[in-house]
């Protein structure tokens, strides 16, 4: 009886898994995306914010509205800091589809660091660093051939 229940459970899981095969979210290119970068280090109290930037032709997951290759955008900022001698920094990107939404995120995050009063907050201007759009690879596009 126990073996029968386990068998039914496995079959049920396989049915659920097979139902999701082929149902992958579409990856689409949006003409405009807004983003800013943030960088901090455990070695000092300096935090950096980039200006809010407009990224042309960025790719997002149509269903979740999540930016494709987020890690590569973060590496762009990390490489910038490595090139200017600010190594070992943790970098992130925050993005939104509208200017209003990204300004809200920027303000909220920046206020957290201003409010604590123990951080040296610096700005990386767009003339010094700008994100460049990244085209997803074939696996991110869902092409496994």
């Amino acid at each position: 009886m126990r073996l029968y229940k386990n068998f039914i459970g496995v079959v049920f899981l396989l049915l659920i898994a097979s139902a999701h095969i082929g149902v992958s979210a579409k990856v689409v290119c949006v003409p405009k995306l807004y983003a800013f970068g943030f960088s901090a280090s455990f070695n000092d109290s300096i935090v950096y914010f980039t200006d809010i930037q407009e990224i042309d032709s960025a790719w997002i997951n149509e269903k979740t509205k999540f930016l494709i290759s987020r890690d590569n955008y973060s590496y762009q900022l990390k490489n910038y800091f490595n090139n200017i001698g600010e190594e070992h920094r943790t970098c992130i990107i925050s993005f939104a589809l509208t200017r209003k939404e990204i300004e809200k995120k920027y303000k909220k995050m920046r206020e957290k660091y201003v409010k604590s009063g123990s951080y040296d907050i610096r700005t990386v201007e767009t003339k010094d660093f700008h994100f460049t759009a990244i085209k997803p690879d074939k696996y991110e596009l869902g092409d496994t051939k």
Side-chain angles (χ1 to χ4, degrees), residues 31-38 48-58 67 73 76-77 80-81 92-103 106 123-133:
K32 207 184 294 188
L33 184 92
Y34 299 94
F36 70 88
F38 170 79
Y48 292 92
F49 285 87
T50 67
D51 291 332
I52 293 175
Q53 302 176 9
E54 196 174 290
I55 302 173
D56 294 327
S57 304
L67 181 63
Y73 286 97
Q76 287 179 15
L77 185 57
Y80 165 77
F81 282 111
I92 65 161
I93 182 173
S94 185
F95 65 93
L97 296 175
T98 65
R99 181 87 183 180
K100 184 178 180 179
E101 188 180 345
I102 196 65
E103 286 172 349
Y106 185 84
T123 302
V124 178
E125 295 180 16
T126 304
K127 67 179 178 61
D128 297 324
F129 170 79
H130 193 276
F131 291 108
T132 56

Side-chain angles (χ1 to χ4, degrees), residues 13-27:
L13 288 174
L14 287 174
L15 285 172
I16 291 173
S18 66
H20 292 318
I21 295 174
V23 182
S24 61
K26 191 174 176 185
V27 176

Side-chain angles (χ1 to χ4, degrees), residues 26-104:
K26 191 174 176 185
V27 176
V28 295
C29 181
V30 292
K32 207 184 294 188
L33 184 92
Y34 299 94
F36 70 88
F38 170 79
S39 176
S41 173
F42 294 108
N43 298 328
D44 61 34
S45 61
I46 302 170
V47 295
Y48 292 92
F49 285 87
T50 67
D51 291 332
I52 293 175
Q53 302 176 9
E54 196 174 290
I55 302 173
D56 294 327
S57 304
W59 293 76
I60 63 167
N61 179 307
E62 189 176 47
K63 183 178 179 183
T64 62
K65 304 293 186 227
F66 225 64
L67 181 63
I68 302 297
S69 295
R70 293 173 310 282
D71 55 339
N72 291 325
Y73 286 97
S74 296
Y75 283 126
Q76 287 179 15
L77 185 57
K78 186 169 182 60
N79 289 337
Y80 165 77
F81 282 111
N82 287 343
N83 290 337
I84 63 168
E86 293 276 342
E87 297 173 348
H88 311 294
R89 301 197 68 79
T90 301
C91 300
I92 65 161
I93 182 173
S94 185
F95 65 93
L97 296 175
T98 65
R99 181 87 183 180
K100 184 178 180 179
E101 188 180 345
I102 196 65
E103 286 172 349
K104 184 179 176 182

